[in-house]
Amino acid sequence: MIVSATYDNGTTAPVTGYTTAPAAGATLTATDTEVVVTYEGKTDSFVITVEDKAVTSLAVTTKPSLEGYYEGQTFSFEGMVVTATYNDGDVQPVEGWTATINGEATTTLDDGENEIVVSFGGKSAEAFVVNATAKALTSIEITTEPSKKTYTVGNKLDLTGLVVTAHYNNGDNNPITDYTTNPSAEDELEVTDTEVVVSYGDFEDSFEITVN
């Protein structure tokens, strides 16, 4: 900025040592619309515009781990760094951002590609994709055998107490009840029935019985 002083002899010359209000280095606010320059009791002014600090762009500068996810699992944002660029030139990491997965405010992953968008301060970062493997049954297990395992010929199978657990590729282990058995609970047992096969999906397990 150049400030010139005009003297009573008609000369004009650039000067220093003037003061300003607001002062140089002061933090400006949106209410600051004019700068008043003072030199040896004389003043002049110029108009300024102070914009509120705002985010102009957003970026995910460090992505979280994108590997090893399965359908239905919760996505972890641990380790992710989100950086905001502001209209005053500041560039800094931020917290308090929000994220959507496939356009929904959720952290649960769908089967296949999941598009994740992070937003902060009215701006959104470029989307990144996380692939999740479809949840699939890998085995079943009889985790508790039924209370009754000895029968008389003609009795029907009593499955009271039987607990069957389904194991999945995502680590889930869920008790199930919609399995089938051979022999079934409706069949009359014979001496040759020595094993009950429990089936669910493409998998099976079994337990032994005695029929007298």
Side-chain angles (χ1 to χ4, degrees):
M1 180 173 72
I2 297 175
V3 178
S4 297
T6 300
Y7 296 92
D8 55 9
N9 64 359
T11 61
T12 299
V15 296
T16 59
Y18 53 81
T19 61
T20 63
T27 300
L28 300 176
T29 68
T31 59
D32 294 312
T33 58
E34 181 184 51
V35 176
V36 177
V37 182
T38 302
Y39 179 74
E40 293 188 358
K42 302 298 182 179
T43 63
D44 197 4
S45 64
F46 59 91
V47 174
I48 61 171
T49 300
V50 181
E51 297 178 346
D52 289 332
K53 186 170 184 175
V55 177
T56 57
S57 65
L58 194 70
V60 177
T61 46
T62 302
K63 291 186 176 71
S65 174
L66 307 179
E67 304 297 328
Y69 282 101
Y70 291 87
E71 173 189 7
Q73 285 188 320
T74 297
F75 182 70
S76 173
F77 292 93
E78 183 177 358
M80 185 171 76
V81 178
V82 179
T83 301
T85 300
Y86 292 88
N87 55 352
D88 62 358
D90 277 356
V91 179
Q92 56 186 346
V94 294
E95 298 181 355
W97 41 263
T98 60
T100 61
I101 298 179
N102 298 326
E104 301 291 335
T106 181
T107 57
T108 302
L109 297 173
D110 295 331
D111 172 26
E113 290 189 352
N114 293 266
E115 184 180 75
I116 299 180
V117 176
V118 177
S119 301
F120 177 82
K123 299 294 182 180
S124 296
E126 182 179 355
F128 61 93
V129 172
V130 177
N131 286 296
T133 302
K135 182 177 179 179
L137 184 68
T138 57
S139 66
I140 65 169
E141 179 185 8
I142 295 171
T143 45
T144 304
E145 294 187 351
S147 304
K148 185 174 181 179
K149 296 176 63 180
T150 301
Y151 296 88
T152 300
V153 171
N155 286 167
K156 293 184 178 182
L157 194 63
D158 183 354
L159 298 177
T160 302
L162 176 65
V163 178
V164 180
T165 301
H167 301 294
Y168 295 88
N169 58 352
N170 67 349
D172 283 353
N173 301 296
N174 301 328
I176 54 174
T177 57
D178 52 342
Y179 50 79
T180 60
T181 64
N182 183 24
S184 74
E186 301 303 318
D187 294 334
E188 293 184 356
L189 299 174
E190 301 176 359
V191 174
T192 54
D193 292 318
T194 59
E195 180 185 53
V196 176
V197 177
V198 180
S199 300
Y200 181 75
D202 294 329
F203 298 91
E204 61 183 36
D205 198 2
S206 63
F207 61 91
E208 295 181 352
I209 60 172
T210 300
V211 182
N212 299 312

